[in-house]
Amino acid sequence: MSGPDGGAILTLEPLVEAVREGVEPSGWRLSGLQKTTSYEFQGRWEGDSTRSAYLFFHPSPGPDWATLDVFLDETSRGLSGNLALVVDARSLSELGDVTGSLGALAELARGHLPRRYRAPLTLRMHLETLDADPGSAQAEIRFKVRIPRSCIASGVPDVSAMAAKAASALRALLEDPGLTPFLDVR
């Protein structure tokens, strides 16, 4: 639902549709959609409920080891969301210097992602077992672009335009040869 003048997006469903309208023409195809509602919270969230949507897109055409994950959230504090390019990275031993890798990935992202949006970068590591060699830790890279609340307040056309710009930038980042040395594409 949006405002009576077609302005601000007020609920989750029109936000989902606005994002889809922006992302799909940018070369990504929807491969999954999940909605959840949560009611039981304690602490600072006690008494609140949230509705969330997770959208999963794959590049079309493109590799199956890369996804565009979209997280959208409706809470009593309003709507929020982000788009994230998620790729499998090489093992920790293959990546080598984590600080240098993270710096190089940030530099690569700066060359593609729109500067006007917050764009966090995450490099996740995990070991299959506690006895595994730390060098064998698998990694995942997430390049996120946050949807500004001001954009959501402006309405469907602005959210769709923002999502299109972010999805195109993330697609260009995926296709940049500078990302290849970090990827686990075996």
Side-chain angles (χ1 to χ4, degrees):
M1 167 186 262
S2 58
D5 61 354
I9 300 173
L10 305 174
T11 60
L12 187 63
E13 286 73 17
L15 182 57
V16 168
E17 289 310 309
V19 168
R20 282 187 70 177
E21 287 173 16
V23 170
E24 288 177 333
S26 301
W28 296 91
R29 72 183 185 320
L30 184 68
S31 54
L33 169 63
Q34 175 185 350
K35 291 183 182 178
T36 63
T37 302
S38 302
Y39 297 102
E40 294 185 31
F41 294 101
Q42 295 185 9
R44 73 179 243 206
W45 295 100
E46 190 169 353
D48 280 352
S49 66
T50 65
R51 294 186 329 124
S52 302
Y54 302 87
L55 292 83
F56 305 97
F57 297 87
H58 282 86
S60 178
D64 61 358
W65 44 261
T67 62
L68 179 67
D69 294 359
V70 177
F71 171 72
L72 304 172
D73 202 26
E74 176 186 327
T75 70
S76 59
R77 293 173 174 82
L79 294 166
S80 62
N82 67 68
L83 295 85
L85 172 62
V86 181
V87 295
D88 291 332
R90 295 182 181 274
S91 70
L92 180 57
S93 64
E94 292 171 308
L95 285 176
D97 173 34
V98 174
T99 302
S101 293
L102 201 54
L105 289 165
E107 181 65 30
L108 187 63
R110 279 192 293 274
H112 292 282
L113 302 183
R115 293 294 202 133
R116 62 188 278 201
Y117 306 120
R118 282 190 45 221
L121 168 62
T122 304
L123 180 58
R124 290 183 178 174
M125 306 282 176
H126 72 274
L127 285 174
E128 285 297 316
T129 69
L130 297 178
D131 297 325
D133 171 23
S136 71
Q138 295 303 301
E140 174 188 87
I141 303 167
R142 288 182 171 262
F143 298 96
K144 284 188 183 180
V145 179
R146 298 209 187 275
I147 303 170
R149 288 185 186 262
S150 60
C151 185
I152 296 169
S154 294
V156 170
D158 285 357
V159 170
S160 292
M162 180 273 162
K165 181 178 270 190
S168 293
L170 291 166
R171 179 69 186 237
L173 179 58
L174 175 62
E175 294 171 352
D176 190 311
L179 184 60
T180 304
F182 298 98
L183 300 177
D184 182 11
V185 293
R186 292 173 252 169

